[in-house]
Amino acid sequence: MPFDFLKRKQPGAPPPGSVAAGASHGDTRPIRFDGLTDEWRLLGTMHVTGRMSDAINRREPIEISDVRWGPIDGSAPPEPAPGLRSVDPYDLILIMAGEGTLPLLSEDQRAAQRVHKVTYDLALEVPPFRVIGTVQLHPGSEPERLLDRATEMFVPVLDATCSIAGRSITEEPVDAILVNRFYLRGIEQIDLRTGERHQKLPGAPLGGVSWQDRSR
């Protein structure tokens, strides 16, 4: 596999195979990651300070190790890629999030977050991927605003599944999938049970209105 597979390097970023300046195992901690580009799936260890979600939103190259990679279509098993020693967050479309990637919250904090945020069940089109799950936004922020450029490059989709051309990549919902908003091309409010758009019932609405009804 070619080592120039990362095609969207930003100006001033180190080339693939280099290590971000100043990074060392001594001042970072390892977090396992599962990242997807438009062609490859990377599995390995990121060495970050703090949480992965914070590190990738800083938009700086991140040191990686023990990397294996394979095509996203599953046509070949992952194989070692020892020459890959850093990754630019711009090049990752999705990151499967697990322990250590998101903020650690107590039950009280989780309850407070549910109160202070609005929950949307969404299908996100991030070509070539389709991600289905739940996104929590602050009141007044509607899902379509995720298409705007913002300070946070990645948005977490909770209890999420991912597919490509109708083929599931996730065998079961994962805690979260971090979606790179730079690749986001479409958003639809859906029914999580079916993964499809809500069916409108005949007759007048009983009250309340969906985000997409308001946006028309």
Side-chain angles (χ1 to χ4, degrees):
M1 296 180 188
F3 281 96
D4 60 350
F5 78 103
L6 298 176
K7 303 169 185 174
R8 293 165 297 277
K9 302 303 291 182
Q10 300 299 306
S18 66
V19 177
S24 68
H25 291 338
D27 55 9
T28 62
R29 67 188 185 96
I31 297 179
R32 299 296 297 173
F33 80 97
D34 181 351
L36 300 171
T37 74
D38 54 357
E39 296 181 3
W40 308 107
R41 186 168 191 166
L42 281 71
L43 302 103
T45 301
M46 282 186 177
H47 299 273
V48 301
T49 301
R51 299 186 305 265
M52 181 194 292
S53 57
D54 295 332
I56 59 177
N57 277 310
R58 284 194 287 268
R59 311 186 187 196
E60 298 173 353
I62 298 173
E63 183 183 5
I64 57 178
S65 63
D66 304 321
V67 180
R68 293 179 299 122
W69 65 354
I72 58 172
D73 61 7
S75 59
E79 61 183 50
L84 283 178
R85 293 183 290 155
S86 71
V87 64
D88 192 321
Y90 284 94
D91 292 310
L92 296 175
I93 300 177
L94 305 175
I95 301 175
M96 309 294 182
E99 184 179 358
T101 61
L102 298 173
L104 297 176
L105 302 177
S106 67
E107 286 303 318
D108 289 342
Q109 289 173 320
R110 292 179 187 276
Q113 188 177 68
R114 286 192 293 268
V115 170
H116 295 295
K117 288 194 174 183
V118 180
T119 297
Y120 294 94
D121 296 332
L122 303 174
L124 283 71
E125 301 298 335
V126 203
F129 308 104
R130 177 180 171 88
V131 176
I132 292 176
T134 300
V135 175
Q136 295 179 333
L137 300 174
H138 292 288
S141 297
E142 296 184 340
E144 64 181 358
R145 298 299 301 272
L146 294 174
L147 294 167
D148 300 338
R149 297 294 179 260
T151 303
E152 290 193 349
M153 185 164 63
F154 285 82
V155 59
V157 183
L158 309 178
D159 297 322
T161 59
C162 177
S163 61
I164 177 171
R167 179 180 63 85
S168 177
I169 291 178
T170 50
E171 295 181 0
E172 57 185 29
V174 297
D175 290 344
I177 295 178
L178 304 177
V179 174
N180 190 332
R181 294 168 63 176
F182 282 84
Y183 296 91
L184 188 56
R185 295 295 178 265
I187 301 173
E188 186 174 49
Q189 199 164 1
I190 51 93
D191 185 338
L192 279 183
R193 296 170 299 177
T194 64
E196 301 295 334
R197 196 172 189 166
H198 286 280
Q199 296 297 317
K200 289 189 175 181
L201 299 176
L206 298 178
V209 63
S210 74
W211 151 66
Q212 288 182 321
D213 286 335
R214 292 197 303 270
S215 64
R216 289 193 176 93

